[in-house]
Amino acid sequence: MSLRASVDKLVQLPRTHRSAIVLAALAIVVLRGRLLRLPKGIQKRRQHAATQEELDQAVQQLYETAPDGTKVLLVPHRHQIVKVPLKPTPAKTLAADAKRFPLAPPSHKPNLDKTFLSQLRAILRIAFRSWHSKESLILFTHSFFLVLRTVLSVGVARLDGRLVRDIVSADGRGFLKGLGLWFALAIPSTYTNTMIHHLQAKLSLRLRTKLTRYTHDLYLAGAPDLRYYRAGPEGGLDGAAQYLTSDIAAFCDAFAQVYGNVLKPSLDLLLFTSQLSRTLGVRGTLLLFLNYYATVKVLRAVTPAFGRLAAVEARLEGEYRAGMGRVGRESEEVAFYNGGSREREILWRAYNRLVKHINSIYKIRIAYEWTEDYVIKYLWSAAGYALIAVPVLLTRRRNVSVQTGSAPGERPIDDQVANRTETYISSRRLLLSLADAGGRLMYAYKDLLELAGLTTRLYTLLSTLHSLAPLPTPADAGPVVALTDVDVAVPAPAGAAPLVLVRRLSLALRAGEHLMVTGSNGVGKTAVARVLAGLWAAQGAGAAAVVRPPGRTGVFVVPQRAYMVAGTLLDQIIYPDAYPDFVRAGRTHAELAEILAAVNLAYLPAREGGWGTRKEWRDVLSGGEKQRMGMARVFYHRPQFAVLDECTSAVSSDVEGRMYEHAKALGITLITISLRPSLMKYHTQLLTLAGDARGSWTLARVGTAAERMGLDREIVALEARLGEVAGWERRVRELARALAVEEQ
Ligand SMILES: Nc1ncnc2c1ncn2[C@@H]1O[C@H](COP(=O)(O)OP(=O)(O)OP(=O)(O)O)[C@@H](O)[C@H]1O
């Protein structure tokens, strides 16, 4: 068949078929290149497969810095190094977004209301930054295929009717032509279905990536935001991990699904209703709308609060996971106490709460799904039969071939029965599709409620993170750490009264003035370190009177519990720097070896198999080794001031002494929190916290009052002993005499 003949045939087709085929062909031509292209990673692999050495290097290297400052993450993936540029969300954008996330009142329950819409809009503005972003493009393409699918469905319904008509009227040629068209139409129809599923999954994944990156930027922000540290105590956000992982994924899945589930059946309803109304007439169309109205009324009445149920389920899931995570993290401590059965009870309780809730959802669903099935399948089918009968019974004398869209020039059909059969088959198919669309729209109502629950969860996360105002930045006055009239208090959520541990604390340290902070347990020694490090905002009259040199080269804190980062042995020493920082700073392995020697860990690289060895260091190193690694970090970063919070409690005193001397030799001023009097000799000032209700404290110079008192006491003791010397000499003479008499 020539091209011209094909075009002629196409022109002769009914309008619906023509537009469906043209749209489908257009879609395939436009999108074929984009959608069927191999993923970039696979294309590159064909060009060049990375060697094992290159892959190892990429794992160590972690990222590259592009000329414009963007960090490009190196991800080894199937013998290839995939480069992922990471552009952090600009601070200006975060500040602008904060206005869109006011805290929701605690009494808010997820539902399909104005609050849901405004919360969803705020979240979607993060996911769809502009209409030409990749996410928007996927959404448009997805919408296009959804519309195309509806158009093609109408074409299929009409063709179905035509095929049966040709069979009934024994029109062989017409039947064969119809069958050819049927196969032709099947190509775009099946392709469209596949693309709808593919694009829905792709949309969900893109949204997840976008929201995950955004929340990571927000949550893991450094000083002065430190939201990962403050979200719990100050923001009241429990189980942030569940929000950041499962809830974001569930929200994106639910959104992508709801979008397709609402848009497509809505389009179907519109288009099918308009098509059917041509056959059904005014009375039939009115009946159809009455049917919709009755369905919505009945289902709304029986629909439970799926949104709230979904939100509670996500919270309980988070509690159960957090419990499991705790056992994994603290497994050794649990094992020492042989606390497995106790932990099992705790986990069982969390799991039972979750399962009970899920079970109650299943029970609630029985009544809902039963009603839904009854209404959608049976009520709609009955209405369908009644509606189909309308044109057949009431418009018996009308020439229905005009309504079915027969093209002029087509062979005239005399047989009224054949025409009526065509109308019946087409209408029945459209009605079945309509019932299906109605069903899906009702299911989508339930999905929408669940989306409302997940939206509330995600909104809670984002609004809590945005509500945490940055911590005040301490003033920089050179190499000085000073507090003036500062109250040290446990941070409390907005509105709650803070618990003050130390009142009106004043101290000033210049380089070389080493401070020791002491006092019994729980008096607030670490709390003072938190204020000095900028983790807690200073309170009281001197809230703004904190002075310290900025950054980790200003004040570096080694906490009480040793922390080991995921990575190589080298990463443990340079933390929080990463390998590229190490290379950029021109530091060397020889330097690291010297540092390890200073903390008595020189044997580690040889024992563990080199600097690049990756292990679970938390389990591999002993308690004392981990503490010495903490000191190695201080020697690597060489800060002006180092706050050592009982970070050498498990280190033997000789090594501890050597590390203190080494730190002082490097010019690091020490602020030590300790209960060990033996450490006092390395310091020039002593801050003692009383731990009374008034939050009192004393600051003394070691080597003046305190030291003098100690010397005085020693002199008195020695003089007392010297007074006894004459008595001891007399006794020695007596004993010597007695021995001489015995020998004679
Ligand atoms: N995030 C917090 N929320 C509530 N209370 C807290 C918080 N952090 C510390 N506290 C309380 O503040 C008090 C002081 O804690 P801090 O850790 O400063 O004690 P410490 O003097 O360092 O004790 P230790 O010698 O045992 O380490 C304690 O009673 C503790 O329970």
Side-chain angles (χ1 to χ4, degrees), residues 62 165 183 265 288 393 571 734:
L62 214 63
R165 182 198 65 186
F183 282 117
L288 201 60
L393 300 177
D571 291 331
E734 282 171 13

Side-chain angles (χ1 to χ4, degrees), residues 233 490 501 520-527 530 536 560 646 675:
V490 179
L501 301 166
S520 64
N521 294 127
V523 293
K525 301 185 293 296
T526 305
R530 288 176 188 131
W536 286 6
Q560 210 163 356
E646 305 200 53
L675 296 170

Side-chain angles (χ1 to χ4, degrees), residues 175-401:
F175 174 72
L176 281 179
K177 235 168 75 181
L179 207 61
L181 258 176
W182 180 264
F183 282 117
L185 211 56
I187 297 171
S189 295
T190 44
Y191 179 73
T192 304
N193 280 342
T194 312
M195 287 320 293
I196 287 173
H197 286 132
H198 171 71
L199 289 168
Q200 180 179 314
K202 211 171 153 98
L203 179 66
S204 167
L205 199 60
R206 281 296 309 184
L207 293 186
R208 185 175 173 186
T209 306
K210 197 89 188 218
L211 289 172
T212 300
R213 282 203 186 165
Y214 182 85
T215 42
H216 281 190
D217 285 344
L218 206 56
Y219 184 66
L220 294 168
D225 293 303
L226 299 175
R227 296 189 186 93
Y228 55 91
Y229 176 70
R230 301 160 61 212
E234 286 178 55
L237 193 77
D238 283 336
Q242 175 74 11
Y243 284 94
L244 284 155
T245 53
S246 299
D247 288 354
I248 290 184
F251 169 83
C252 296
D253 279 347
F255 175 77
Q257 198 183 331
V258 158
Y259 181 71
N261 287 0
V262 170
L263 184 69
K264 189 178 173 318
S266 306
L267 281 172
D268 285 357
L269 275 178
L270 276 177
L271 209 72
F272 294 158
T273 308
S274 84
Q275 288 289 317
L276 269 172
S277 62
R278 286 161 58 188
T279 320
L280 300 178
V282 178
R283 212 173 330 181
T285 312
L286 277 178
L287 274 172
L288 201 60
F289 278 105
L290 198 67
N291 182 38
Y292 293 159
Y293 182 75
T295 310
V296 170
K297 276 277 164 209
V298 171
L299 289 184
R300 276 202 77 129
V302 295
T303 305
F306 281 119
R308 193 173 50 77
L309 293 173
V312 172
E313 185 182 335
R315 179 173 56 75
L316 292 175
E317 190 85 55
E319 283 173 12
Y320 172 58
R321 279 204 196 169
M324 211 38 133
R326 196 185 52 241
V327 176
R329 230 178 13 254
E330 321 270 342
S331 60
E332 185 168 282
E333 286 77 2
V334 175
F336 271 134
Y337 287 117
N338 196 13
S341 54
R342 179 80 186 87
E343 296 297 330
R344 195 179 52 211
E345 279 165 22
I346 296 170
L347 284 173
W348 259 112
R349 201 164 331 131
Y351 180 75
N352 274 343
R353 271 203 300 266
L354 172 66
V355 165
K356 267 195 167 166
H357 178 75
I358 295 178
N359 253 326
S360 70
I361 296 181
Y362 288 162
K363 270 191 207 147
I364 293 169
R365 274 188 176 178
I366 293 177
Y368 169 76
E369 282 176 6
W370 176 72
T371 320
E372 188 188 54
D373 243 33
Y374 186 87
V375 170
I376 299 293
K377 287 204 180 133
Y378 293 90
L379 192 72
W380 279 56
S381 294
Y385 283 125
L387 291 169
I388 292 168
V390 171
V392 177
L393 300 177
L394 299 181
T395 59
R396 216 178 291 169
R397 282 172 213 292
R398 278 167 57 190
N399 184 356
V400 284
S401 71

